Amino acid sequence: MAKQDEKLVALVAKLIELTQESTLRWEVVEANEGSEFGFTKIIGAVFETKYGGRILRIYKREYDNSEDNHLFNTYAYQPTYSIAIELEFVDRKGNSIWSFPRITGIFDLYKAISYKAAGVDDFISDILGDEENASNKRTKSDV
Amino acid sequence: MESLFSWLNVDRIGGLASITGLGFTIYVFLGVRKIKQEFLFRARLPSLLKKIQNHASTISSELTNLPDSSHAIIEELAIAQVNIRSLENKSSGTMRLSLKKLRLIIEEIRENQSIDKNSIRAVYLEMNMVIQEISNIREDDKWSQGNG
């Protein structure tokens, strides 16, 4: 495997680790829909983080492949879409500077970021903590 | 030249022909076996690669819940090992070596039951390296066949 690919795969794995350990904090930002082409659109949340003076952005992009498929299958028109995760460096105005190539692990990174940004762990401990407190109170009042 | 003609009688020509025939049969047998293996590899690669990707993805998600998820990770690694071995048996060259290396790392973790974050992260990284390598080979393959 090319050395550059190896480095990028290792980098994405490191970003997942930093995200899961909350060393890297991602924020939900507004999507820049204006920069999208006609056959693509941003779906889901767009996340940004700062690391070492650089801004990293990650989001899901949906590609509409229906036209391409229609060229090969003229009798049965079927809308087809594919989804890719885009990871890129952006400037302060949100313009893309450099996009990462399609590297293994980017989907896992997006999943890890969504999980952290949604605060799933806090939500679970809040709900279960409340339930535990309520059951403790009930036990005390029974006694 | 004369001695060669005197040496060549019907029996000897027959013997030489059958030896050549045997060599040719072995050559065809090996060729057919290679084609069969190649076909099996190409047919099974997409689904097995997808499965290994899913294993890596699950392991990555479960890492946040360690040590509670250690049993789930061991289970996932066991199934991943089977799929990796299956792909390893069908592959050849550098891909086979990378798959073997990954399988041995997983085997070591399962034997030692060493479910700490660092070792699982190392397995996850190695899995992604192999997946990336296979994806690159597939892409190269597409281009070499003119389907790129």
Side-chain angles (χ1 to χ4, degrees):
Chain A
M1 184 169 44
K3 279 271 174 238
Q4 179 73 1
D5 278 1
E6 257 178 49
K7 279 183 189 168
L8 290 176
V9 171
L11 174 74
V12 170
K14 191 70 192 170
L15 288 175
I16 294 173
E17 183 183 340
L18 295 174
T19 303
Q20 286 177 336
E21 285 168 4
S22 301
T23 313
L24 207 59
R25 291 184 184 277
W26 297 79
E27 284 173 5
V28 179
V29 294
E30 249 181 67
N32 185 8
E33 294 279 4
S35 61
E36 290 300 298
F37 303 104
F39 52 88
T40 66
K41 68 175 180 194
I42 294 172
I43 53 168
V46 179
F47 302 98
E48 267 186 22
T49 190
K50 279 180 191 163
Y51 191 85
R54 290 179 183 85
I55 306 170
L56 265 172
R57 183 167 62 184
I58 191 165
Y59 57 92
K60 249 190 242 180
R61 181 180 267 156
E62 188 185 68
Y63 290 84
D64 184 354
N65 306 320
S66 308
E67 280 302 314
D68 289 348
N69 282 359
H70 193 47
L71 287 174
F72 294 106
N73 191 354
T74 46
Y75 299 106
Y77 181 81
Q78 256 190 329
T80 43
Y81 303 96
S82 57
I83 291 171
I85 303 286
E86 307 287 351
L87 177 65
E88 56 195 20
F89 286 111
V90 293
D91 65 13
R92 286 176 198 282
K93 288 178 183 170
N95 301 312
S96 173
I97 300 170
W98 184 77
S99 293
F100 282 69
R102 302 269 179 267
I103 286 289
T104 310
I106 288 190
F107 266 95
D108 295 340
L109 176 62
Y110 189 84
K111 257 167 73 179
I113 293 166
S114 309
Y115 185 88
K116 277 282 167 191
V120 180
D121 285 336
D122 294 342
F123 182 74
I124 292 171
S125 60
D126 281 355
I127 295 275
L128 294 183
D130 287 349
E131 210 169 76
E132 209 169 291
N133 287 341
S135 71
N136 283 346
K137 275 181 191 169
R138 269 200 301 273
T139 325
K140 275 181 188 171
S141 63
D142 287 348
V143 172
Chain B
M1 197 66 177
E2 209 172 293
S3 61
L4 178 69
F5 279 115
S6 63
W7 180 78
L8 271 179
N9 55 34
V10 176
D11 285 353
R12 283 185 174 139
I13 290 172
L16 278 174
S18 59
I19 289 168
T20 314
L22 179 69
F24 190 68
T25 306
I26 292 169
Y27 175 75
V28 171
F29 169 74
L30 292 175
V32 168
R33 207 174 73 148
K34 199 179 167 193
I35 290 168
K36 200 177 141 190
Q37 199 175 0
E38 186 93 347
F39 176 75
L40 193 64
F41 173 71
R42 280 173 196 275
R44 295 286 288 125
L45 180 64
S47 73
L48 283 171
L49 188 62
K50 187 82 200 147
K51 279 181 185 170
I52 298 170
Q53 266 169 342
N54 288 341
H55 293 310
S57 217
T58 308
I59 288 166
S60 164
S61 303
E62 293 291 352
L63 264 165
T64 45
N65 305 323
L66 268 177
D68 296 342
S69 60
S70 56
H71 186 72
I73 289 179
I74 283 282
E75 210 173 279
E76 200 64 36
L77 285 176
I79 306 167
Q81 200 181 350
V82 174
N83 286 326
I84 290 163
R85 193 197 298 271
S86 174
L87 192 55
E88 185 191 330
N89 290 340
K90 293 171 189 66
S91 59
S92 58
T94 51
M95 196 191 288
R96 193 186 175 97
L97 288 177
S98 304
L99 286 162
K100 189 181 176 185
K101 189 182 158 198
L102 174 62
R103 183 174 56 78
L104 292 177
I105 293 172
I106 293 174
E107 204 169 284
E108 198 184 320
I109 285 184
R110 286 187 57 225
E111 273 172 11
N112 301 334
Q113 297 278 313
S114 54
I115 301 296
D116 63 286
K117 268 191 181 172
N118 289 340
S119 57
I120 301 302
R121 283 206 189 279
V123 171
Y124 173 72
L125 177 61
E126 199 58 43
M127 274 178 131
N128 277 351
M129 290 280 188
V130 171
I131 293 165
Q132 186 65 40
E133 188 180 347
I134 296 173
S135 305
N136 287 351
I137 292 171
R138 274 182 78 189
E139 274 308 301
D140 292 349
D141 226 24
K142 267 190 209 168
W143 282 100
S144 66
Q145 286 170 17
N147 302 324

